[in-house]
Amino acid sequence: MYAISAAIAIGLSALAAGLGNGMIVSKTVEGMARQPEARGMLQTTMFIGVGIVEAIPIMGAVIAFMLQGR
């Protein structure tokens, strides 16, 4: 049962991160298309957002390892 819980934790966190990253990047590209002069600021903010979103699967993996250790 713990193996299934761990697989679900990793799978859902990876799915959520993928969707989040896709939304962040698409909105950034849209913003760059509308205002090319704001490219640098948008890119910096995008990289910070992607870094924060990437923490979600790492937390999912930690939870999965914790569940496997029981």
Side-chain angles (χ1 to χ4, degrees):
M1 194 66 160
Y2 291 117
I4 294 172
S5 301
I8 290 172
I10 289 179
L12 288 179
S13 63
L15 177 69
L19 291 173
N21 283 337
M23 290 173 53
I24 290 171
V25 172
S26 72
K27 294 297 181 179
T28 302
V29 171
E30 184 180 319
M32 284 184 211
R34 290 176 187 252
Q35 289 185 320
E37 66 275 2
R39 179 180 178 262
M41 185 179 64
L42 289 172
Q43 228 174 9
T44 302
T45 306
M46 179 195 72
F47 286 133
I48 292 170
V50 167
I52 292 171
V53 168
E54 283 299 318
I56 294 170
I58 294 170
M59 288 182 222
V62 168
I63 290 170
F65 286 133
M66 289 171 51
L67 289 171
Q68 288 293 326
R70 286 190 165 178

